[in-house]
Amino acid sequence: MRSDEQIADLRARPRCMFEVDEVLATIPSYWVDPENAIMATAYHRTVMFDCEATVSGDAVELAAQQMRLLARYQPEGGFRPVTAEDPMYRGAIHHIAAVRLDVRSRRAKFKLAQNRPPEVRAKIVEALRTRGRPNDERAAEALHWTIDQEAKR
């Protein structure tokens, strides 16, 4: 929304950070230590992008952005094409802004039990697969990847 304070901040100070996090799984402490509660943790993969933001209120650009979003999330159609000139969309387009982020640098952080010996990670992998929560298999695959990478060294 053009009236959002973040848009005002980006116009005044375009340098920003954009972070993408994938929380894979949380694990209970007793999977690592039978008594020590601080062993409970969350495994994740994170990428942080240092960016320069450009904010646009150009109606043609915004309509094109909306069409790209619709193409991705509503590919079956069922809507009138979004154009800057269409009276049905003109009012809504006036309230939104597009933000383009030009990436200047990036950093990644993977917290996947790399500080644990491979045999402990293997036990965690098995426990994740046994537990079977929605993201547990992805977490198990990620932790197993760290074991495989270490074995290649």
Side-chain angles (χ1 to χ4, degrees):
M1 298 296 293
R2 289 184 196 194
S3 60
D4 189 291
E5 67 186 46
Q6 291 179 16
I7 296 298
D9 288 345
L10 288 172
R11 286 186 194 278
R13 292 172 298 284
R15 183 140 188 206
C16 62
M17 178 172 278
F18 182 75
E19 184 172 313
V20 179
D21 298 306
E22 178 185 27
V23 177
L24 295 164
T26 59
I27 67 155
S29 60
Y30 56 83
W31 282 8
V32 177
D33 186 288
E35 296 181 31
N36 190 341
I38 65 168
M39 295 300 170
T41 194
Y43 295 128
H44 64 88
R45 295 184 276 212
T46 301
V47 180
M48 295 154 283
F49 299 94
D50 292 311
C51 302
E52 193 78 21
T54 304
V55 179
S56 173
D58 179 82
V60 172
E61 185 177 338
L62 292 164
Q65 175 188 23
Q66 294 303 304
M67 287 299 293
R68 287 190 300 275
L69 287 168
L70 286 160
R72 177 168 182 169
Y73 296 108
Q74 192 175 324
E76 71 277 10
F79 57 87
R80 190 160 86 200
V82 180
T83 66
E85 302 81 29
D86 190 322
M88 185 168 72
Y89 297 120
R90 195 175 311 135
I93 287 175
H94 177 73
H95 291 287
I96 62 175
V99 178
R100 188 180 84 235
L101 300 176
D102 293 316
V103 176
R104 303 298 187 215
S105 65
R106 62 190 131 300
R107 299 182 302 273
K109 178 180 184 203
F110 289 11
K111 182 179 178 189
L112 301 171
Q114 302 97 314
N115 61 326
R116 307 263 174 243
E119 55 275 5
V120 172
R121 278 181 271 160
K123 287 180 186 177
I124 295 170
V125 166
E126 190 56 41
L128 285 163
R129 289 187 169 138
T130 300
R131 183 173 69 178
R133 288 184 183 167
N135 280 342
D136 282 354
E137 183 56 35
R138 285 180 61 80
E141 289 173 11
L143 268 70
H144 195 269
W145 175 84
T146 68
I147 296 168
D148 290 344
Q149 294 305 304
E150 207 168 292
K152 289 179 184 178
R153 291 185 206 154

